[in-house]
Amino acid sequence: MGLGSTAKKIQSLSDRAEAMYRQVQELQERIINLEEEVDDTHETVSKLDHNITEQRALLLAIADEHGLDGEQILAEAAIDEAEADDEASDDPEAAEDETADAEHSV
């Protein structure tokens, strides 16, 4: 094996190492971008959660002003939603029909 063959192998190895280094840098940039997106998403979710909490408090206060039991109304709505979810998981076609009916009634 001559020096020329060894030089070609070293060059080939060097080229592959450079390509791998570029890939690692690209992956590192993608990970950093994903981390930033996750942070942004977390911030957005936190704001939305806070807004929902405020809106719930307002709705409960309004319901109380009108002599309604807001907690009972919310509990009944949660039960109805859970029952609808159970029915949807038991019979996917019925859930599709209910969705279509709800869309047409709006």
Side-chain angles (χ1 to χ4, degrees):
M1 192 187 311
L3 288 176
S5 177
T6 302
K8 285 182 184 178
K9 286 184 180 182
I10 291 173
Q11 183 62 43
S12 173
L13 186 61
S14 175
D15 292 343
R16 282 191 280 168
E18 287 178 17
M20 288 179 68
Y21 181 74
R22 282 192 299 275
Q23 287 178 338
V24 168
Q25 284 181 317
E26 289 173 11
L27 284 173
Q28 188 175 22
E29 288 176 24
R30 289 177 63 189
I31 289 171
I32 289 169
N33 289 337
L34 284 173
E35 288 174 340
E36 290 171 356
E37 287 181 25
V38 166
D39 289 343
D40 291 345
T41 301
H42 176 73
E43 185 178 321
T44 301
V45 168
S46 294
K47 287 178 183 177
L48 289 172
D49 188 44
H50 179 73
N51 288 344
I52 288 171
T53 302
E54 287 179 339
Q55 290 175 4
R56 180 184 176 113
L58 287 170
L59 289 172
L60 289 173
I62 292 169
D64 190 43
E65 276 183 17
H66 288 84
L68 301 171
D69 185 355
E71 291 295 338
Q72 181 183 355
I73 294 169
L74 291 173
E76 289 172 3
I79 291 169
D80 292 344
E81 184 177 341
E83 289 174 351
D85 288 346
D86 285 345
E87 290 174 7
S89 64
D90 291 343
D91 188 7
E93 289 181 20
E96 289 174 10
D97 293 341
E98 287 178 14
T99 302
D101 291 343
E103 288 174 356
H104 292 299
S105 66
V106 173

